[in-house]
Structure formats: C-alpha cells, structure tokens
C-alpha cells in the first residue's frame, strides 16, 4: 500500500485508506457484504478516480473484504489503467457499448461470490435508472439489497485539512473570475461576453472543468432563477447577476455577485440591503453546534425584518465540496434549511445565498462561500459582499 502523495491524485494514499476504513466500519455496523457505488462524487471521494463522462453509468464494487472492482465502459478503462499505479482500486472490467452493463455487473458479482450477499445500493444515484435497478434485483433473487444513500455522504460532510486547502484554492479562482466579469462590464457589452471573461479567467487562474457553467443574466430577466446568457446587450441602469464556481481537484466554491451599470433603482437598493442583512446575520450568528434549522432561521429572520421574507424562497445555504456535473454543490451531503435538525460541525462548507426575487424587477444576492470553524466562520472569498456599481 502506497504512503506517498502522487500528483496523479489529489490526496496521498493514507487519506484514501482512512476513508476506506471508515466506510468499512459502517458496512460492518450494517451487516453489509459489499457496496455497489455509482454516485461519481462518492467513488471519487474514495479513490480519486474522475472522468469527464461521469454521466455514463459505472460501478465501484466495494467489498467488505478483498479488492474492489470497477465495472465501466471500455473507453473509461483507459482512465482506470492510467491511475492504477497510484490508485488503490486498480482492477476493472470494461463493458462494450453494445453490451449490457447490468448483466456484466451481475456476472462479476457472481464471480466474487456475492450472489447471495447483503448488497448496499445507492438508490438516489442520478445515473442509475429504475429500470436498471429492477433488472439487477431480478437477476439476484437470493441477494438482499439495502439502500445506502447517505452512507458515504455522511463521511463527506466534514472536510479534512487537505480538502479545506483545495476549497480555499477554488475560492481564490472564483474570486478572480467574478472580478473579470465586473471588469468586462460596459454599456452595450453582451451578457455572453461577461460569461466568457469569467470562464477565461477561471481557467487561467488554474481552475478545473466546472460541474456547472456560470449563470449570467441582466435586468428583469435575472428574476428567472438560474438564467444564463443569451447574447443580450446590457444597458445603463440594468443590474447583472453573475454567479460562477471555481473548481480545483473537483472541489467547487461558487460566488454570486450583482453588478450595476450606473445607479440602480431604489427598489434594487432595498433588495440589496435585505440580502446584505441576511448575509451578515448569518456570518455573525451561524456557529458550530447549531442545527441546520436554527442557522436558517438566523438568516431568514433578518430578511423578514427588511420586509422581503416572501421574496426569500430558497434555503439559506447549501453544502460545498466535491462536485461533478451536472451541479457544483453538495446538497445531498448537507444543507442549511428550515426543519432540518442536523447539527453543524467545524469543517463543514456552505454557500450562503440570501437571494431576493421580485417579479418584474429581478434577483439580488450577495453570497458568501464559507467554512464553519470552531470559533465562527471562515470566508472563502475576499470579494466584499456588496452591490458592484460601475
């Protein structure tokens, strides 16, 4: 077993082995013989394997004892072989595009003596269909299938010191990219030009491929959540929503800022004041040991006092960390939202998004990516949380 860091993987082998042991402990507690891991973020977390085609179904067969086995498209075996000298999960079976992935998986499980086993399966996986699950269970009538959704995600909630370093680098990339968007803003420029400036700067700053492209929209069109560029020209008095995530070793940190070309309207200024009130209440009041619900209430009450409670229609924050397309957050791992009684811990990362939506006007949000620490909050961007007026 390797003990040295290799540049091919984002962490040393010792960190991966510690993660593996934690998962196997949880497997023993549940009486599971093997896990069939198909959530890309989860097998990346355990092995360091990543591909730009993560939407193609693949499995990491992760037994309680013995070596794991990849079941993947033949083309993706090139990535397994390239990482094999450095990655602890080395073996794999390539499936031709003309072959049945589930049938090959079933055959492999039989060869591993797991046809009567207690198998953990990720029912919430985006790329594992109901039809494929039904096919697999029909092929294994003597096996017991147990939903392990959340098992690996639970271990991903609190980031290690090395993970936090990756988050800080991603935050720096995102910060410079948003600055580039603001620098490119001028009368008559297209929203697509701002997006291009942001993407270009993120890549030049050392950013990796992002799990989701930026959101850039102007004027009242910004009211449409997650709208993006359409080549529209930006005029004076219009606001611009700019949101982008910097990515480093698949760790993502997003930032949402609002630009204004010229003096914004009084309504926009009031919306901005409400967003800032929610943000600063959260930065000052959210602490480790609070429940998710309590932390959300801190932000929500501040916005309600500004008269915009009905316009704050989202959760206060969503989790950050490993992200693979089609998203850049970790909502499946942790969120800060109403009625959620999970407890915040030091080392958790979030994107605090006090977004205010007013139909006919637009959306305003000054966000903050952050780390929960033992004593408070660490910000993951040096950009001031304010409306940027040019």
């Amino acid at each position: 077993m390797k003990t040295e860091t290799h540049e091919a993987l984002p962490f040393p082998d010792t960190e991966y082995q510690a993660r593996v042991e934690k998962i196997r402990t949880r497997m023993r507690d549940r009486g599971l013989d093997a896990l069939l891991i198909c959530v890309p973020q989860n097998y990346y977390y355990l092995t360091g394997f990543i591909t730009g085609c993560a939407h193609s179904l693949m499995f990491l067969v992760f037994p309680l004892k013995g070596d794991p086995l990849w079941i993947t498209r033949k083309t993706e075996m090139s990535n397994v072989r390239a990482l094999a000298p450095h990655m602890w999960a080395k073996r794999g079976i390539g499936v031709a595009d003309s072959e049945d992935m589930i049938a090959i998986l079933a055959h492999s499980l039989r060869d591993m003596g797991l046809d009567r086993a207690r198998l953990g399966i990720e029912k919430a996986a985006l790329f594992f269909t109901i039809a494929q699950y039904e096919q697999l269970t029909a092929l294994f009538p003597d096996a017991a299938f147990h939903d392990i959704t959340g098992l690996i995600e639970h271990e991903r909630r609190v980031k290690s010191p090395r993970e936090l370093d990756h988050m800080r680098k991603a935050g720096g990339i995102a910060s410079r990219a948003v600055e580039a968007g603001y620098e490119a803003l001028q009368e008559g420029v297209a929203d697509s030009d701002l997006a291009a400036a942001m993407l270009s700067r993120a890549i030049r700053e050392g950013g990796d491929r992002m799990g989701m492209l930026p959101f850039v929209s102007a004027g009242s069109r910004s009211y449409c959540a997650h709208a993006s560029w359409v080549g529209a020209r930006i005029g004076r008095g219009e606001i611009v929503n700019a949101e982008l995530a910097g990515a480093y070793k698949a760790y993502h940190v997003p930032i949402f800022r609002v630009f204004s070309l010229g003096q914004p309207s009084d309504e926009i200024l009031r919306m901005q004041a409400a967003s800032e009130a929610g943000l600063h209440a959260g930065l000052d009041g959210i602490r480790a040991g609070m429940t998710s619900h309590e932390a959300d209430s801190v932000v929500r009450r501040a916005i309600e006092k500004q008269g915009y409670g009905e316009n704050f229609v989202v959760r206060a924050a969503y989790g950050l960390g490993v992200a693979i397309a089609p998203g850049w957050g970790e909502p499946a791992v942790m969120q800060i939202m109403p009625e959620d009684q999970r407890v915040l811990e030091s080392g958790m990362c979030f994107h605090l998004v006090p977004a205010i939506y007013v139909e006919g006007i637009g959306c305003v949000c000054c966000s903050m990516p952050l780390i929960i620490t033992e004593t408070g909050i660490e910000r993951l961007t040096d950009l001031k949380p304010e409306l940027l007026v040019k």
Side-chain angles (χ1 to χ4, degrees), residues 154-173:
H154 180 83
E155 298 300 332
R156 289 168 48 200
R157 296 177 311 146
V158 175
K159 274 55 181 176
S160 71
R162 292 187 182 93
E163 287 181 291
L164 293 177
D165 284 342
H166 288 355
M167 295 293 288
R168 294 181 183 104
K169 290 178 181 177
I173 292 165

Side-chain angles (χ1 to χ4, degrees), residues 65 109 126 148 155 162 171 177 179 190 233 277 289 324 345:
K65 298 179 181 179
L109 290 173
L126 286 179
I148 59 161
E155 298 300 332
R162 292 187 182 93
E179 283 181 339
R233 301 292 171 180
I324 294 171
E345 299 178 49

Side-chain angles (χ1 to χ4, degrees), residues 15 37 89 101 177 269 329:
E15 182 143 345
I37 302 169
M101 172 75 71
L269 292 175

